[in-house]
Amino acid sequence: MRRSYTAVSMVFPILKFVAARGFDPESFCRKVSFDSGLLRDADARIPVDELSRLMKEAAALTGDDYIGLYLEGYREPADFGVLGYVMMHAGTIREALDAYVRYYAIVSDGFRLAWEAEGGELVIRFTFDAPALAVRHCAEDMAASVLAMIRRFANRRPEAGEIRFKHEAPPDTAPYLETFGVMPLFGAGENAIRLNRHVLDWPILYADERLRTMFESVADDRQAAMAADAEGPFTGQVLEWLRASLPHGLPTLPQAADHFGVSERTLQLKLRAENTTYSELITQVRRQTAIRLLRQDGISIGEIAFLLHYTEPSAFQNAFKKWTGKSPGQYRRQAAGRSG
C-alpha cells in the first residue's frame, strides 16, 4: 500500500498548541522523537501517520483530548504553504474551496475535501485516504479548520446547520457545542459540514487578483514538480513517450502496449503499481501542455484545443475549467496581467 505524506508545515499548529498549554515545543519534539530540523525546510514532507502520532502525543502531554477542536486557533494560511495564499486571495469562498480541491495534494495526499451545493445548502465533505488520518482528532480538526478558514477569509462567522462525524461521541460533548454552535451527529456515515449556500458568495477580505494569479502559477509548478517526483520509473517512460507523441496524436492504450512490448493488461498493471492509470497520464500531459501554451502569445485557444486533439474547442474549455477552475481565456488573461 502506497504511503501518504503531508507538508511538514502542518506540524506548526501542533507545536503552537503545545506552547500555549505551557510546554516547550523543542522539548516536546525531543520527547516524542520528532526531528524539529525538518521544520526549517519549507518543502519537507512527513508521513501522515507521523502527523497523526504527533497530534496524539500532544493531546497526551497536555491532557486535552479535544485537540482537534482547538488546532484551528493556531493555524495560519502560511501553514498550508502556497495553497493558503491562493485561497487567501481568491475572490469568494466558492473560489477558495475550488482552490483547496485543486491543490490539496500540495498539503497532503492523505485526505480529500469535496463540496457541492444541494438545494439551499453547501455541503463540504472530507475523506481520509490514509488510515492513520481517519481518527477522531483529524476529523474534528478538518471540520473546525474549514469553518475557521471561512470566518477568517470572509470576516463573517458561518453558522453550521449540521455537522456529521463517522466516529462515536466521547463521554463529554460540551466542547463541540462551544466550537461549532451545534451538536454534531456522531456515528454517521460521513464526515461533513452543512452550511447555508449563500456562504459560497461571500467575498474574501484579502482578495488580490494579481497576487492570486502569481500564487496559482507557483502552485501549478509545485504540483507538477511533486507529480514528477512521485513518478515511478515506468510512469516516467510512458509520460516521456506521450509528450513526444503529442504533436502527431495521443496514442491509444493498444498502441501504448504495442510500443512498450507488453499486453494491455500488463501495461495497466505496471501503471497501477505506480499509483496511476493510462487515462490519468493522458490528462496530465494535456493539462501541463495547455498551461504552457496559454502562457505564450500568438496561439489561439482554438489552436491549443486542436494541438491537444480535442474534437471541439468547447470540449477543451470544459476540461480546462475542470482542471483549474478557470476557462482558458480567464487563465490567459490573468497570466498576461501577471507578466505585465
Side-chain angles (χ1 to χ4, degrees), residues 21-202:
R21 295 301 191 274
F23 297 91
D24 176 57
E26 194 62 42
S27 298
F28 168 73
C29 290
R30 289 195 297 270
K31 176 179 173 62
V32 301
S33 302
F34 175 73
D35 181 8
S36 61
L38 291 171
L39 299 170
R40 293 188 287 274
D41 181 357
D43 293 329
R45 295 172 74 80
I46 61 173
V48 294
D49 49 1
E50 179 72 348
L51 182 69
S52 179
R53 182 182 75 85
L54 292 174
M55 199 177 293
K56 293 176 184 176
E57 293 281 9
L61 175 68
T62 62
D64 193 333
D65 201 34
Y66 297 88
I67 183 173
L69 299 181
Y70 304 137
L71 282 183
E72 57 86 12
Y74 304 96
R75 184 173 285 113
E76 301 294 334
D79 294 327
F80 289 96
V82 66
L83 169 59
Y85 293 112
V86 172
M87 295 171 65
M88 184 193 305
H89 293 292
T92 63
I93 294 300
R94 177 192 299 270
E95 293 171 270
L97 290 173
D98 280 340
Y100 196 111
V101 171
R102 191 159 69 250
Y103 297 121
Y104 77 91
I106 293 176
V107 178
S108 175
D109 59 357
F111 64 84
R112 287 175 289 132
L113 179 147
W115 71 268
E116 61 181 328
E118 294 182 356
E121 291 185 316
L122 162 63
V123 185
I124 302 172
R125 296 182 172 90
F126 39 99
T127 56
F128 300 101
D129 298 326
L133 291 181
V135 295
R136 176 188 150 203
H137 294 324
C138 295
E140 293 170 1
D141 180 33
M142 280 289 293
S145 295
V146 167
L147 292 173
M149 178 272 293
I150 294 174
R151 182 177 68 248
R152 183 177 296 113
F153 287 169
N155 200 32
R156 300 170 67 178
R157 183 180 181 87
E159 295 183 3
E162 182 182 72
I163 295 179
R164 291 171 168 257
F165 289 125
K166 284 187 173 183
H167 58 268
E168 298 298 330
D172 181 10
T173 57
Y176 296 95
L177 193 58
E178 179 182 347
T179 298
F180 298 122
V182 296
M183 186 60 67
L185 175 63
F186 295 95
E190 62 180 356
N191 296 308
I193 304 169
R194 290 180 179 268
L195 304 168
N196 191 300
R197 183 173 178 167
H198 66 71
V199 169
L200 289 170
D201 299 321
W202 284 0

